[in-house]
């Protein structure tokens, strides 16, 4: 049996490492949004090039309404059970991808240039 | 045998109630997979007071039934993979900790739950983009696992071996 102190030390180190990694990940910057449905990139949007707010629907396992405004993107409505994607709100920097796990939808934001093939 | 089924059924009902109550609490952070996991108190109690086989039965039934009430076919995959990975970690650790260190077992199994969910999410959604949530889910799992583990510790101390 390991001592409680040893366990606390192991858990504290694990927590610290993961916390630092999370901070590094969530503070990354980007401006190109990729809407990925069921593993396929269905739309690539340069958020810096958006001038007017608009929204569109994606249908896969369920339906999600995606809203785009200059510099930011969000899921404004969804029929998934948990609606975590809607609660995520506007995402602009790119650290955390907007995920709708039940509907197999992921919106990532990165620094990559838009390639014409996927649009 | 009849006593065993009755007892496990009661524990399953308790786990489902906790699961339903938890579903009503809105998640403070909009990250898929972050949740308190209070129904894990029942799994921990079953693991330490009854045995791994009964704990596994209660866990699997709770996940399948819980997802039938609130969830869909895809979220069932995430719930099962998270549940099974967390069970595996709990099973490996339950002999390595004392009854006062149940929270240690809970912390690691909660962290494993998040990892299991993300792994299956990456497979189902065919994207590795979700992997970047793994460190965050490990952190949240440590916090929620600590809470549910301490709760389970109190519960187990009260019921001791009376439910065997």
């Amino acid at each position: 049996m390991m001592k409680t102190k040893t366990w606390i030390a192991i858990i504290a180190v694990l927590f610290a490492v993961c916390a630092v990694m999370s901070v590094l990940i969530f503070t990354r910057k980007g401006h190109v949004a990729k809407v990925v449905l069921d593993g396929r990139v269905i739309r690539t949007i340069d958020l810096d090039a958006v001038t007017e707010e608009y929204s569109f629907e994606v249908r896969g396992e369920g339906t999600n309404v995606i809203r785009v405004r200059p510099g930011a993107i969000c899921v404004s409505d969804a029929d998934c059970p948990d609606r975590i994607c809607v609660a995520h709100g506007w995402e602009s920097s790119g650290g955390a991808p907007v995920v709708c796990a039940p509907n197999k939808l992921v919106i990532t934001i990165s620094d990559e240039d838009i390639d014409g093939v996927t649009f | 045998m009849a006593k065993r089924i009755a007892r496990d059924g009661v524990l399953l009902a308790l786990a489902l109630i906790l699961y339903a109550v938890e579903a009503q609490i809105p998640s403070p952070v909009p990250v898929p997979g972050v949740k308190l996991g209070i129904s894990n108190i029942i799994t921990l109690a079953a693991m330490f007071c009854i045995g791994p086989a009964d704990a596994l039965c209660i866990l699997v039934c709770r996940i399948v039934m819980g997802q039938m009430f609130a969830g869909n076919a895809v979220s069932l995959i995430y719930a099962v993979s998270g549940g099974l990975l967390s069970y595996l970690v709990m099973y490996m650790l339950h002999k390595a900790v004392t009854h006062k260190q149940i929270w240690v077992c809970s912390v690691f199994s909660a962290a494993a739950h998040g990892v299991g969910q993300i792994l299956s999410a990456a497979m189902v959604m065919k994207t590795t983009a979700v992997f970047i949530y793994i460190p965050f889910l490990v952190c949240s799992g440590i916090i929620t696992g600590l809470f549910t583990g301490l709760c389970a510790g109190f519960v187990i101390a009260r019921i001791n071996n009376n439910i065997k």
Side-chain angles (χ1 to χ4, degrees):
Chain A
M1 295 290 167
M2 279 212 276
K3 281 188 177 151
T4 304
K5 272 185 188 166
T6 319
W7 283 118
I8 292 174
I10 294 170
I11 293 168
V13 168
L14 183 68
F15 186 87
V17 169
C18 288
V20 169
M21 279 169 75
S22 298
V23 169
L24 290 178
I25 287 167
F26 291 156
T27 49
R28 288 182 316 168
K29 292 268 177 266
H31 61 97
V32 177
K34 277 187 183 154
V35 180
V36 185
L37 186 69
D38 202 8
R40 285 183 310 120
V41 181
I42 55 166
R43 275 212 202 201
T44 308
I45 305 158
D46 187 345
L47 294 175
D48 285 348
V50 175
T51 50
E52 255 178 42
E53 195 166 327
Y54 65 97
S55 57
F56 59 93
E57 238 181 52
V58 291
R59 285 172 206 275
E61 210 73 32
T63 307
N64 297 71
V65 180
I66 296 169
R67 205 156 174 80
V68 183
R69 73 177 186 202
I73 188 164
C74 78
V75 177
S76 60
D77 197 19
D79 61 359
C80 54
D82 52 22
R83 288 174 65 86
I84 286 173
C85 49
V86 179
H88 190 114
W90 290 100
E91 185 64 49
S92 54
S93 62
V98 184
V99 178
C100 184
N103 288 357
K104 301 188 189 176
L105 175 79
V106 182
I107 304 172
T108 59
I109 306 179
S110 61
D111 240 342
E112 296 164 56
D113 288 323
I114 291 178
D115 48 76
V117 189
T118 49
F119 192 73
Chain B
M1 190 65 197
K3 192 188 159 205
R4 188 182 184 187
I5 290 171
R7 180 200 55 207
D8 288 2
V10 170
L11 286 174
L12 171 60
L14 275 170
L16 278 167
I17 291 168
L18 291 176
Y19 188 80
V21 168
E22 183 179 284
Q24 302 307 313
I25 306 171
S27 175
V29 274
V31 173
V34 173
K35 59 177 182 177
L36 201 46
I38 44 175
S39 51
N40 202 37
I41 294 170
I42 303 294
T43 317
L44 282 164
M47 176 70 90
F48 281 92
C49 295
I50 306 171
D54 297 72
L56 183 62
C57 288
I58 294 167
L59 174 73
V60 171
C61 291
R62 191 259 296 165
I63 290 171
V64 173
M65 291 173 78
Q67 286 298 319
M68 280 184 343
F69 300 143
N72 66 14
V74 182
S75 59
L76 176 66
I77 300 174
Y78 306 140
V80 168
S81 59
L84 288 184
L85 195 62
S86 84
Y87 176 85
L88 201 67
V89 170
M90 196 190 289
Y91 176 75
M92 289 190 299
L93 282 177
H94 88 287
K95 289 251 182 270
V97 297
T98 64
H99 264 47
K100 286 208 183 311
Q101 295 173 334
I102 286 168
W103 59 272
V104 171
C105 187
S106 173
V107 160
F108 284 107
S109 78
H113 187 272
V115 174
Q117 278 193 317
I118 289 293
L119 289 180
S120 67
M123 268 188 275
V124 168
M125 297 196 278
K126 305 183 193 82
T127 173
T128 52
V130 288
F131 282 153
I132 70 173
Y133 276 126
I134 285 180
F136 187 84
L137 283 177
V138 170
C139 282
S140 84
I142 289 173
I143 297 167
T144 60
L146 189 59
F147 174 77
T148 56
L150 291 172
C151 288
F154 292 131
V155 170
I156 291 163
R158 297 280 187 291
I159 56 180
N160 205 6
N161 285 318
N162 289 342
I163 56 169
K164 198 150 191 141

